[in-house]
Amino acid sequence: MKQNKLFFNVGIKNTKQRNLVYDILHQSSQPITAEEIFLKYQELDEAISLSTIYRILDLFSTKGLIIKTYINENTKACFIINHHDHKHYLICKNCKKVVEIDGCPFTTYEKELEEKTSFTIQGHKLELFGLCGGCKDSLL
Amino acid sequence: MKQNKLFFNVGIKNTKQRNLVYDILHQSSQPITAEEIFLKYQELDEAISLSTIYRILDLFSTKGLIIKTYINENTKACFIINHHDHKHYLICKNCKKVVEIDGCPFTTYEKELEEKTSFTIQGHKLELFGLCGGCKDSLL
DNA sequence: ATGCAAATGCAAACTATTCGCATGTGATTA
DNA sequence: TAATCACATGCGAATAGTTTGCATTTGCAT
Ligand SMILES: [Mn+2]
Ligand SMILES: [Mn+2]
Ligand SMILES: [Zn+2]
Ligand SMILES: [Zn+2]
């Protein structure tokens, strides 16, 4: 099997399953669930065990290749390629569309808060929700 | 049983279980899970079925008496009394302490975003995480 | 090519939550 | 106060998402 630079760099083995799961995540513009990956995998006429997908997603997460997130008050975990840029999402409550927001509205706020609370702030999660342009119109 | 004004107002029956679950939520300063409620209920030498707790929490949520939230990237749902004020939380990654932040850093930001994205924004969820004062010290 | 640690597949376990159904209870009415 | 009845509860079973144990297979260093 052709060496995978990405996997080699983080010190994990190169397998057919990992390559394909990575490709699927890479081609997805939105966060996707383990089961969605499973289904896309099958569409490519390949077989994989769902537990292998979970193990791969876990590994990718700890190696920092992907981000695990619970979007949309959901019970299912979602995964997305880690582009190493800080992103937030806008989620349509009606059609569940997820739109990336660029930029982050916090710059000074976290500093203020650190002083007020004596916490050291390491990160945050911001999710905005509402109705997208399309749904707004169709719900008239 | 003494009439419960709060329950009467939202048109639901007054039961021992509902009263006690409400009290437990009311006395908790932090969001708590169904199971935590179950355990506190038992500490009061009362018995209840866990499924009844889930049904009560569901009812309280739809009646607007409480808020269901998935805090801390957690797989379990948490519940807290609805004080009808907009709150955010600061969560310690080490000890899991949850601290309320007063105020909300967004005022103009949502408007800007509506223009940029054509979404109608109806709400948002912001969670900040880091280390609390105590944990910062003890992790030296 | 060989050996071995690590990855996979499968089934079973697990956790949080929901549901069906028999029984019990609170609110309304007489 | 007693009768009524819709609705609340308890119990166990079902479900959804995820994890784990173990036998088998595979990638990679030698
Ligand atoms: Mn941000
Ligand atoms: Mn806010
Ligand atoms: Zn939409
Ligand atoms: Zn702490």
Side-chain angles (χ1 to χ4, degrees), chain A residues 119, chain B residues 91-97 130-136:
Chain A
F119 262 70
Chain B
I91 302 147
C92 179
K93 286 192 143 182
N94 187 244
C95 70
K96 311 298 175 195
K97 183 163 71 174
L131 291 174
C132 72
C135 287
K136 217 185 314 177

CSV table of all heavy atoms in Angstrom, one decimal, chain A residues 119, chain B residues 91-97 130-136, ligand 4:
chain,number,residue,atom,x,y,z
A,119,PHE,N,-10.7,32.0,36.2
A,119,PHE,CA,-10.5,30.9,35.3
A,119,PHE,C,-9.4,31.2,34.3
A,119,PHE,O,-9.2,32.4,34.0
A,119,PHE,CB,-11.8,30.6,34.5
A,119,PHE,CG,-12.7,29.5,35.0
A,119,PHE,CD1,-13.4,29.7,36.1
A,119,PHE,CD2,-12.8,28.3,34.3
A,119,PHE,CE1,-14.3,28.8,36.6
A,119,PHE,CE2,-13.7,27.4,34.7
A,119,PHE,CZ,-14.4,27.6,35.9
B,91,ILE,N,-16.9,26.3,32.0
B,91,ILE,CA,-16.8,24.9,32.5
B,91,ILE,C,-15.4,24.5,32.8
B,91,ILE,O,-14.5,24.7,31.8
B,91,ILE,CB,-17.4,23.9,31.5
B,91,ILE,CG1,-18.9,24.3,31.2
B,91,ILE,CG2,-17.3,22.5,32.0
B,91,ILE,CD1,-19.3,24.0,29.8
B,92,CYS,N,-15.1,24.1,33.9
B,92,CYS,CA,-13.7,23.6,34.2
B,92,CYS,C,-13.5,22.2,33.6
B,92,CYS,O,-14.2,21.3,34.0
B,92,CYS,CB,-13.4,23.6,35.7
B,92,CYS,SG,-11.7,23.1,36.0
B,93,LYS,N,-12.5,22.1,32.8
B,93,LYS,CA,-12.2,20.9,32.1
B,93,LYS,C,-11.7,19.8,33.1
B,93,LYS,O,-11.7,18.6,32.8
B,93,LYS,CB,-11.1,21.0,31.0
B,93,LYS,CG,-11.6,21.7,29.8
B,93,LYS,CD,-10.6,21.6,28.7
B,93,LYS,CE,-11.3,21.4,27.3
B,93,LYS,NZ,-10.3,21.3,26.2
B,94,ASN,N,-11.1,20.3,34.2
B,94,ASN,CA,-10.6,19.4,35.2
B,94,ASN,C,-11.6,18.9,36.2
B,94,ASN,O,-11.9,17.7,36.2
B,94,ASN,CB,-9.4,20.0,35.9
B,94,ASN,CG,-8.6,19.1,36.8
B,94,ASN,OD1,-8.6,19.3,38.0
B,94,ASN,ND2,-8.0,18.1,36.2
B,95,CYS,N,-12.2,19.8,36.9
B,95,CYS,CA,-13.2,19.3,38.0
B,95,CYS,C,-14.6,19.4,37.5
B,95,CYS,O,-15.5,19.1,38.3
B,95,CYS,CB,-13.0,20.2,39.2
B,95,CYS,SG,-13.5,21.9,39.1
B,96,LYS,N,-14.9,19.9,36.3
B,96,LYS,CA,-16.2,19.9,35.7
B,96,LYS,C,-17.1,20.9,36.4
B,96,LYS,O,-18.4,20.9,36.2
B,96,LYS,CB,-16.9,18.5,35.8
B,96,LYS,CG,-16.1,17.4,35.2
B,96,LYS,CD,-15.7,17.6,33.8
B,96,LYS,CE,-14.8,16.4,33.3
B,96,LYS,NZ,-14.1,16.8,32.0
B,97,LYS,N,-16.5,21.8,37.2
B,97,LYS,CA,-17.3,22.9,37.8
B,97,LYS,C,-17.9,23.7,36.7
B,97,LYS,O,-17.3,24.0,35.7
B,97,LYS,CB,-16.5,23.7,38.8
B,97,LYS,CG,-17.3,24.8,39.5
B,97,LYS,CD,-16.5,25.3,40.7
B,97,LYS,CE,-15.3,26.2,40.3
B,97,LYS,NZ,-14.7,26.8,41.4
B,130,GLY,N,-12.1,25.8,30.4
B,130,GLY,CA,-10.7,26.1,30.7
B,130,GLY,C,-10.5,25.5,32.1
B,130,GLY,O,-11.0,24.4,32.4
B,131,LEU,N,-9.7,26.2,32.9
B,131,LEU,CA,-9.4,25.7,34.2
B,131,LEU,C,-9.8,26.7,35.3
B,131,LEU,O,-9.5,27.9,35.1
B,131,LEU,CB,-7.9,25.4,34.4
B,131,LEU,CG,-7.3,24.2,33.6
B,131,LEU,CD1,-5.8,24.2,33.7
B,131,LEU,CD2,-7.9,22.9,34.1
B,132,CYS,N,-10.5,26.2,36.3
B,132,CYS,CA,-10.9,27.2,37.4
B,132,CYS,C,-9.7,27.5,38.3
B,132,CYS,O,-8.7,26.8,38.2
B,132,CYS,CB,-12.1,26.6,38.2
B,132,CYS,SG,-11.6,25.2,39.3
B,133,GLY,N,-9.9,28.5,39.1
B,133,GLY,CA,-8.8,29.0,39.9
B,133,GLY,C,-8.2,27.8,40.8
B,133,GLY,O,-7.0,27.7,40.8
B,134,GLY,N,-9.1,27.1,41.4
B,134,GLY,CA,-8.6,26.0,42.2
B,134,GLY,C,-7.8,24.9,41.5
B,134,GLY,O,-6.7,24.6,41.9
B,135,CYS,N,-8.3,24.5,40.3
B,135,CYS,CA,-7.6,23.5,39.6
B,135,CYS,C,-6.3,24.0,39.0
B,135,CYS,O,-5.3,23.2,38.9
B,135,CYS,CB,-8.5,23.0,38.4
B,135,CYS,SG,-9.9,22.0,39.1
B,136,LYS,N,-6.3,25.2,38.6
B,136,LYS,CA,-5.0,25.8,38.1
B,136,LYS,C,-3.9,25.6,39.1
B,136,LYS,O,-2.8,25.2,38.8
B,136,LYS,CB,-5.3,27.3,37.9
B,136,LYS,CG,-4.6,27.9,36.7
B,136,LYS,CD,-4.8,29.4,36.6
B,136,LYS,CE,-6.3,29.9,36.9
B,136,LYS,NZ,-6.4,31.3,36.9
E,4,ZN,ZN,-11.8,23.1,38.3
